[in-house]
Amino acid sequence: MDHTLKIFNSDVVIVKSHTFLYSGNFVNSLKLLAPSFPSTCTKKPSTSASTARRGSGGRHLQASYSADLNPSYSSNMAPPTSDGLIDSRIARITSAIRVIPDFPKPGILFQDITTLLLDPVAFKDTIDLFVERYKDKDISVVAGVEARGFIFGPPIALAIGAKFVPMRKPNKLPGAVISEEYSLEYGTDKIEMHVGAVQEGERALVIDDLIATGGTLCAAISLLERVGVKVVECACVIELPELKGRERLGDKPLYVLVS
Ligand SMILES: O=P(O)(O)OC[C@H]1O[C@H](OP(=O)(O)OP(=O)(O)O)[C@H](O)[C@@H]1O
Ligand SMILES: Nc1ncnc2[nH]cnc12
């Protein structure tokens, strides 16, 4: 059941269910070629994450296109638009993301997507851009990584007619799980997926808000591939290129809106 509050003359709807709602006009598909990708994540590069993160504040407007998906565009090119200008939706998304220095610790430029969620136009544009790319790709699974992949994944899944599969931090899922450990800047972490959530032969998109070192996405890919799912592509709103997460993904295509 939904509850509506009045705060400073604004209607605020508190959604109590776990379902995210989305309705949008899904404009022109980018008409990209169907991908055919080998997979396997590579080992973590030796780049110092903290050093690279210090330099990650100067973002550029761009969408990184996988050459596999669209051979006429190399990676790190701005998306094509009918009038040849940089997509104004990406400009708005970029400026809606807040960058907080020294969070959660000194030297880190934290990319805060909560401000993007406060701008319904920019938030909808974000979802639309992903939906335009994936709606005709025969994807049956959108896998989102806890926590911020849970914000962007469900509306994309609903719009393209796929199921949403949460990849959770350890000991959160109640059923039988399979787990994958991955390396962090210091130490390790783990993500888990319910056994039976996906079936062998399904085609999946992995979604998260951000790729830094790529460890999280690699773990998500491994979980899905261990049970015979084909990971068609990974998608993030933000890439921190200095951390070379893209390299760690190996041949697995990665699509990002802001870098
Ligand atoms: O590419 P990587 O180096 O793996 O880092 C990227 C991950 O880091 C952040 O999540 P975080 O682990 O901070 O968890 P949270 O979303 O629960 O805060 C981000 O949302 C990605 O999931
Ligand atoms: N700089 C950063 N901002 C937000 N989330 C992150 N996850 C890893 N690095 C991050």
Side-chain angles (χ1 to χ4, degrees), residues 135-198:
K135 67 178 182 165
D136 296 323
K137 297 292 185 298
D138 195 25
I139 288 166
S140 59
V141 177
V142 175
V145 185
E146 185 172 353
R148 291 167 257 164
F150 292 3
I151 296 168
F152 299 100
I156 297 166
L158 288 176
I160 67 173
K163 61 186 167 189
F164 179 74
V165 174
M167 305 231 151
R168 295 219 62 181
K169 299 272 162 80
N171 308 314
K172 299 285 187 185
L173 291 170
V177 297
I178 57 170
S179 312
E180 188 76 28
E181 207 167 79
Y182 59 99
S183 58
L184 297 169
E185 193 174 352
Y186 304 111
T188 60
D189 206 344
K190 210 195 264 184
I191 54 169
E192 298 185 336
M193 176 177 74
H194 264 147
V195 171
V198 292

Side-chain angles (χ1 to χ4, degrees), residues 53 145-148 169 182 208-216:
R53 281 175 198 188
V145 185
E146 185 172 353
R148 291 167 257 164
K169 299 272 162 80
Y182 59 99
D208 205 350
D209 68 320
L210 178 143
I211 176 168
T213 66
T216 308

Side-chain angles (χ1 to χ4, degrees), residues 1-6 11-16:
M1 188 180 166
D2 295 349
H3 296 271
T4 304
L5 306 175
K6 276 269 183 201
D11 286 331
V12 178
V13 177
I14 301 173
V15 181
K16 289 190 72 184

Side-chain angles (χ1 to χ4, degrees), residues 3-257:
H3 296 271
T4 304
L5 306 175
K6 276 269 183 201
I7 299 178
F8 303 125
N9 283 331
S10 295
D11 286 331
V12 178
V13 177
I14 301 173
V15 181
K16 289 190 72 184
S17 93
H18 293 275
T19 307
F20 289 71
L21 299 178
Y22 172 71
S23 70
N25 289 325
F26 310 132
V27 291
N28 304 326
S29 151
L30 291 173
K31 302 236 178 341
L32 302 170
L33 299 178
S36 154
F37 320 110
S39 80
T40 8
C41 291
T42 55
K43 280 196 154 185
K44 189 179 176 183
S46 57
T47 315
S48 157
S50 57
T51 306
R53 281 175 198 188
R54 269 180 217 117
S56 63
R59 276 197 306 262
H60 306 287
L61 310 185
Q62 70 183 152
S64 296
Y65 282 78
S66 149
D68 286 332
L69 273 171
N70 187 348
S72 55
Y73 295 94
S74 61
S75 68
N76 301 327
M77 285 183 68
T81 55
S82 54
D83 57 7
L85 297 173
I86 287 181
D87 194 320
S88 63
R89 293 179 294 177
I90 290 186
R92 183 164 183 150
I93 293 162
T94 304
S95 54
I97 297 165
R98 176 168 62 169
V99 181
I100 308 266
D102 300 322
F103 181 88
K105 54 187 179 183
I108 304 289
L109 286 173
F110 190 82
Q111 309 288 318
D112 180 18
I113 55 91
T114 67
T115 45
L116 170 64
L117 309 178
L118 300 176
D119 178 344
V121 173
F123 185 22
K124 180 178 179 302
D125 284 347
T126 304
I127 302 304
D128 281 349
L129 283 161
F130 289 128
V131 170
E132 287 162 23
R133 183 170 176 87
Y134 297 114
K135 67 178 182 165
D136 296 323
K137 297 292 185 298
D138 195 25
I139 288 166
S140 59
V141 177
V142 175
V145 185
E146 185 172 353
R148 291 167 257 164
F150 292 3
I151 296 168
F152 299 100
I156 297 166
L158 288 176
I160 67 173
K163 61 186 167 189
F164 179 74
V165 174
M167 305 231 151
R168 295 219 62 181
K169 299 272 162 80
N171 308 314
K172 299 285 187 185
L173 291 170
V177 297
I178 57 170
S179 312
E180 188 76 28
E181 207 167 79
Y182 59 99
S183 58
L184 297 169
E185 193 174 352
Y186 304 111
T188 60
D189 206 344
K190 210 195 264 184
I191 54 169
E192 298 185 336
M193 176 177 74
H194 264 147
V195 171
V198 292
Q199 273 69 51
E200 190 177 344
E202 286 197 280
R203 287 167 56 82
L205 165 69
V206 178
I207 179 100
D208 205 350
D209 68 320
L210 178 143
I211 176 168
T213 66
T216 308
L217 286 181
C218 276
I221 293 166
S222 298
L223 270 185
L224 291 162
E225 291 186 342
R226 273 168 54 191
V227 291
V229 169
K230 178 174 177 55
V231 176
V232 173
E233 191 160 272
C234 297
C236 293
V237 180
I238 304 162
E239 177 183 12
L240 303 182
E242 299 91 338
L243 294 175
K244 301 192 189 306
R246 188 181 283 273
E247 286 176 23
R248 195 166 175 191
L249 294 187
D251 290 335
K252 189 64 66 188
L254 169 70
Y255 175 70
V256 299
L257 302 182

